[in-house]
Amino acid sequence: MPDTEVRDRVSAHGYRVLLGQIRSRRIYEACRGVWPHISPTFDELETLRASADERHALASQTLIAVLEQRVQPWDTWDAGKGAALETWFVGALHLQFPTVFERWRKARLRRLDEHEACAAVIAAKGAPADPALGAVTRDELERALRTAEPEVRSVLALVAAGYRHDEIADHLRLSERAVEGRIYRFRRSMRNPVRGTGKKSTP
């Protein structure tokens, strides 16, 4: 096993490489060999592009995950097979990154501001699918979201983050039909609200 100085040097090198790959977005391609379905949303990519703190947090958590394994990369490294220890360690980071990314993704979703989520549902990807939503003001959106059921708000937050309906269903352990139903209920409340309450008016 390499001595402490070598392990520290290799760990620092791996951290720098991983951080650079997160910044350049090459990390997702590097990980597809071990986790083919890793696919960040545009919103997640923008968050990582704009925030050095988020990039460092993701890289740090991945490094910690590797170093907390019972079997360390230097325990399985074989110099006779040709790969440098630094390369071997980066490979170990790639193996852990998808799991750490998924935890980061879920934690980020919990932090999403619900009002901003509502606005993003309306504004995302050009014109809204339901024209009735395009005519409401931000204040009306916020009032409607405050009175929406919690299960509706959780779906809206995921929609705002760029998730497809099937992905939302998977995250929330729902059927796609249930997800679509919750979005429909919110759209219906926006089409026919009682001003200031977000509740549906009576005929």
Side-chain angles (χ1 to χ4, degrees), residues 1 3 18 48-49 77 87 102 125 178 188 196 198 203:
M1 177 187 292
D3 60 30
L18 183 63
L48 290 169
R49 180 194 64 78
W77 174 63
T87 303
E102 190 65 24
K125 299 178 183 176
R188 185 179 58 187

Side-chain angles (χ1 to χ4, degrees), residues 31-198:
C31 290
R32 284 204 173 98
V34 294
W35 200 43
H37 304 299
I38 183 169
S39 182
T41 65
F42 175 79
D43 193 56
E44 289 165 345
L45 290 173
E46 283 299 292
T47 295
L48 290 169
R49 180 194 64 78
S51 174
D53 287 345
E54 294 283 6
R55 294 194 299 269
H56 279 282
L58 200 48
S60 298
Q61 290 163 19
T62 304
L63 179 62
I64 290 168
V66 169
L67 296 178
E68 287 182 342
Q69 293 179 114
R70 185 175 59 171
V71 178
Q72 298 289 298
W74 25 78
D75 296 329
T76 57
W77 174 63
D78 184 349
K81 292 186 177 179
L85 180 56
E86 290 83 356
T87 303
W88 189 257
F89 190 84
V90 169
L93 291 170
H94 289 168
L95 286 172
Q96 286 295 321
F97 180 81
T99 300
V100 174
F101 180 82
E102 190 65 24
R103 288 202 301 265
W104 172 84
R105 165 182 277 172
K106 289 177 180 178
R108 177 176 172 273
L109 289 174
R110 288 194 294 270
R111 299 194 303 266
L112 276 176
D113 181 277
E114 292 172 343
H115 297 335
E116 292 300 324
C118 178
V121 171
I122 307 306
K125 299 178 183 176
D130 187 335
L133 297 182
V136 298
T137 67
R138 182 181 179 84
D139 286 345
E140 288 171 330
L141 284 173
E142 292 182 353
R143 283 197 296 271
L145 186 56
R146 280 196 296 270
T147 58
E149 304 100 317
E151 61 268 21
V152 172
R153 290 198 297 266
S154 63
V155 169
L156 293 176
L158 289 164
V159 171
Y163 285 83
R164 301 189 309 269
H165 289 185
D166 60 326
E167 293 172 324
I168 295 171
D170 182 61
H171 275 290
L172 299 180
R173 298 185 178 182
L174 300 168
S175 67
E176 283 190 58
R177 186 181 293 270
V179 169
E180 291 164 359
R182 292 178 185 186
I183 294 171
Y184 170 76
R185 288 204 303 275
F186 177 75
R187 287 175 171 166
R188 185 179 58 187
S189 75
M190 291 307 304
R191 284 197 301 268
N192 196 18
V194 173
R195 193 166 296 276
T197 68

